[in-house]
Amino acid sequence: VISLYIGMAVITYSIVESQSLAMNPLLIPEAYIIGGQPLCSQLAGLSKGQKKLCQLYQDHMQFIGEGAKTGIRECQYQFRNRRWNCSTVDNSSVFGRTAFTYAISAAGVVNAVSRACREGELSSCGCSRAARPKDLPRDWLWGGCGDNLNYGYRFSKEFVDAREREKTFTKGSMESARLLMNLHNNEAGRRIVSDLAHVSCKCHGVSGSCSLKTCWLQLADFRKVGDALKEKYDSAAAMRLNSRGKLVQVHSKFNSPTSNDLVYIDPSPDYCAENKTTGSLGTQGRLCNKTSEGMDGCALMCCGRGYDQYKTQLVERCHCKFHWCCYVKCKHCSRTVDQFVCK
Ligand SMILES: *[C@@H]1O[C@H](CO)[C@@H](O)[C@H](O)[C@H]1NC(C)=O
Ligand SMILES: *[C@@H]1O[C@H](CO)[C@@H](O)[C@H](O)[C@H]1NC(C)=O
Ligand SMILES: *[C@@H]1O[C@H](CO)[C@@H](O)[C@H](O)[C@H]1NC(C)=O
Ligand SMILES: *[C@@H]1O[C@H](CO)[C@@H](O)[C@H](O)[C@H]1NC(C)=O
């Protein structure tokens, strides 16, 4: 079913300011698209194929944007203690280079579109029609309205990958290698969402007796997707092109990466110093933890440059009292804490 929305309602995109992702045009901060305006031509920067999909599936665009936003927020959470914290100098050619950002944004789109189907927000899909799991106990009902992972997966693949698929490069070129890498990482992100989806059930029956259960397919909490992808990122496989123009692993003694693993071609920079070419912001000015020996510790975070120590006032809510009925009243307490900032 194809739906064309002529009189569009107002759609609000409020997305992190970053010219960055595979679908960067949707990351326009606070772009208001007003009824009657041609939505798809306003989203400047869509690839040719994406523009076509946009015209055919205008009601999907909001969820693509939200999915990408969720992905970036998760990226910033996962990398908050790293030298690279998921932000970059504003350069679209740069941010796209990390395997993680491709995967997490593709995952975010699957997540958002699958859920939008279930919630009845899209005209071309509805509740999941996934087959009943074989191991579900016989007397439990299958058929609550589940997240439509099948649709979300297929749509995300079509839309997010379109940009890469349209590119034409000579076989064996570095650009063609990057294209294959991006497609691989997009797919890994989608598969993680798919792998982490699970069966969820609700009890029915007289006063909570749970004599009857209804079950459906449910997406995992997106934090779990972020955690899983972070692990994949830390064990990503180094790849190169072989003579037949296929991506193969550099270290052939390891197991080949599967479709669920992340891959890279160019090793990451160390992100210690600012470098516009690599997209590194550097770690000058970053907070670090004096006592930690991990990546967030001052030694590693500041790359041996040392740190400055400041005293800051931290204001917190304290002495909270519950008042009948029903609110909580707190005082503000401030305390002085030491802060360590990379030189
Ligand atoms: C930035 O990184 C590139 C690639 O690693 C390197 O060749 C270049 O020298 C770096 N530039 C600066 C200013 O450090
Ligand atoms: C982004 O980086 C590329 C490669 O380093 C450079 O050629 C281009 O000018 C940069 N674009 C912007 C907008 O800074
Ligand atoms: C990431 O680090 C840069 C400096 O390297 C800083 O300007 C930026 O605010 C940080 N972003 C987040 C989301 O913490
Ligand atoms: C700093 O690191 C230590 C050791 O890992 C940890 O116990 C502590 O909570 C950290 N402090 C902050 C402010 O994150």
Side-chain angles (χ1 to χ4, degrees), residues 243-267:
S243 55
R244 284 177 296 147
K246 287 234 153 71
L247 271 191
V248 292
Q249 189 157 227
V250 172
H251 305 287
S252 52
K253 61 178 188 290
F254 298 145
N255 288 338
S256 291
T258 67
S259 304
N260 294 40
D261 293 321
L262 297 184
V263 299
Y264 66 91
I265 300 171
D266 310 299

Side-chain angles (χ1 to χ4, degrees), residues 76-77 79-80 82-88 271 280-287 301:
Q76 288 178 339
Y77 171 82
F79 286 85
R80 67 200 180 286
R82 298 281 187 109
R83 285 182 192 156
W84 178 69
N85 63 0
C86 202
S87 14
T88 184
Y271 295 109
S280 167
L281 286 172
T283 61
Q284 192 183 355
R286 288 282 301 277
L287 289 177
M301 180 65 80

Side-chain angles (χ1 to χ4, degrees), residues 90-94 97 276-278:
D90 196 18
N91 188 325
S92 56
S93 69
V94 163
R97 274 194 201 159
K276 290 215 163 66
T277 314
T278 58

Side-chain angles (χ1 to χ4, degrees), residues 31-312:
Y32 295 93
I33 294 130
I34 313 298
Q37 291 277 9
L39 166 73
C40 304
S41 55
Q42 294 231 334
L43 293 172
L46 289 177
S47 77
K48 224 168 135 192
Q50 286 175 335
K51 208 165 261 176
K52 267 189 196 148
L53 286 167
C54 174
Q55 275 153 6
L56 292 172
Y57 299 96
Q58 289 204 12
D59 59 349
H60 290 45
M61 300 313 284
Q62 179 192 348
F63 299 98
I64 291 171
E66 283 174 11
K69 183 170 79 169
T70 306
I72 285 306
R73 269 213 219 97
E74 185 59 28
C75 180
Q76 288 178 339
Y77 171 82
Q78 293 290 343
F79 286 85
R80 67 200 180 286
N81 292 330
R82 298 281 187 109
R83 285 182 192 156
W84 178 69
N85 63 0
C86 202
S87 14
T88 184
V89 283
D90 196 18
N91 188 325
S92 56
S93 69
V94 163
F95 192 55
R97 274 194 201 159
T98 91
F100 192 88
T101 48
Y102 272 90
I104 197 88
S105 50
V109 173
V110 176
N111 202 69
V113 173
S114 305
R115 184 152 299 161
C117 290
R118 186 199 74 202
E119 289 171 352
E121 300 279 358
L122 303 177
S123 56
S124 53
C125 61
C127 302
S128 166
R129 282 195 235 136
R132 182 190 171 93
K134 288 196 177 67
D135 54 355
L136 198 71
R138 271 246 221 90
D139 49 345
W140 295 6
L141 296 176
W142 178 250
C145 184
D147 291 311
N148 198 337
L149 189 55
N150 185 31
Y151 186 94
Y153 174 90
R154 282 185 297 131
F155 188 84
S156 162
K157 193 179 175 81
E158 194 82 10
F159 188 89
V160 178
D161 286 3
R163 176 178 294 278
E164 303 296 329
R165 293 199 181 285
E166 285 160 34
K167 293 177 184 162
T168 47
F169 291 122
T170 20
K171 213 169 175 178
S173 66
M174 208 51 201
E175 287 83 2
S176 78
R178 294 215 175 87
L179 186 154
L180 293 172
M181 168 180 76
N182 295 343
L183 287 175
H184 184 105
N185 292 328
N186 285 348
E187 180 66 16
R190 287 189 290 267
R191 288 196 179 213
I192 301 252
V193 175
S194 182
D195 290 353
L196 290 175
H198 56 270
V199 170
S200 190
C201 300
K202 194 168 131 187
C203 279
H204 305 280
V206 188
S207 54
S209 66
C210 207
S211 52
L212 194 64
K213 272 190 179 182
T214 311
C215 307
W216 62 90
L217 187 68
Q218 168 114 33
L219 293 171
D221 183 53
F222 203 72
R223 176 56 33 86
K224 292 216 172 95
V225 173
D227 290 343
L229 279 174
K230 176 79 173 315
E231 255 175 54
K232 297 282 185 191
Y233 178 80
D234 287 332
S235 60
M239 307 296 273
R240 63 175 177 80
L241 275 187
N242 70 6
S243 55
R244 284 177 296 147
K246 287 234 153 71
L247 271 191
V248 292
Q249 189 157 227
V250 172
H251 305 287
S252 52
K253 61 178 188 290
F254 298 145
N255 288 338
S256 291
T258 67
S259 304
N260 294 40
D261 293 321
L262 297 184
V263 299
Y264 66 91
I265 300 171
D266 310 299
S268 314
D270 62 17
Y271 295 109
C272 280
E274 184 174 349
N275 186 321
K276 290 215 163 66
T277 314
T278 58
S280 167
L281 286 172
T283 61
Q284 192 183 355
R286 288 282 301 277
L287 289 177
C288 60
N289 182 331
K290 193 183 169 188
T291 51
S292 166
E293 283 174 16
M295 222 32 252
D296 62 333
C298 294
L300 286 174
M301 180 65 80
C302 310
C303 306
R305 295 184 308 263
Y307 53 85
D308 293 316
Q309 183 167 348
Y310 298 95
K311 295 224 178 284
T312 4

